[in-house]
Amino acid sequence: MTTLHQEHTEHASHRHGPDCGHTAVPHGDHLDYAHDGHLHREHGGHWDECEPAGHTAHEGHEHVHHDECGHAQVRHGDHVDYLHDGHRHAEHGDHWDDH
């Protein structure tokens, strides 16, 4: 999965980490932190918004996520992602996207 490199310039005062209070989300070879409706990752001394590039459907995802399904929820823009099997799923039409 390719992600966009977009520096989050308003993020200078807060340092994410295990005790910062934001949800840590495993994402490939790094951790993202859910903050203000988007995901941040540390990159070269600054914080980037870590967002997927393009649309990737999660094929064969039979599980239907909902408020009580047992998977952690992360607010992401105008929707909720669900943490499942090391990635985020977002409902999109009649399928789930892999973020």
Side-chain angles (χ1 to χ4, degrees), residues 22-28 30-34 39 74 83 86-88:
H22 297 112
T23 303
V25 180
H27 188 203
H30 64 275
L31 282 177
D32 293 333
Y33 289 90
L39 296 162
V74 177
L83 304 183
H87 47 207
R88 296 178 292 138

Side-chain angles (χ1 to χ4, degrees), residues 8 33-40 49-52 73-82 88-91 99:
H8 190 77
Y33 289 90
H35 184 194
D36 294 337
H38 47 252
L39 296 162
H40 296 159
E49 290 188 29
C50 193
E51 298 296 337
Q73 299 177 12
V74 177
R75 170 73 39 206
H76 184 208
D78 63 354
H79 63 277
V80 172
D81 289 347
Y82 292 87
R88 296 178 292 138
H89 292 160
E91 189 171 15
H99 283 181

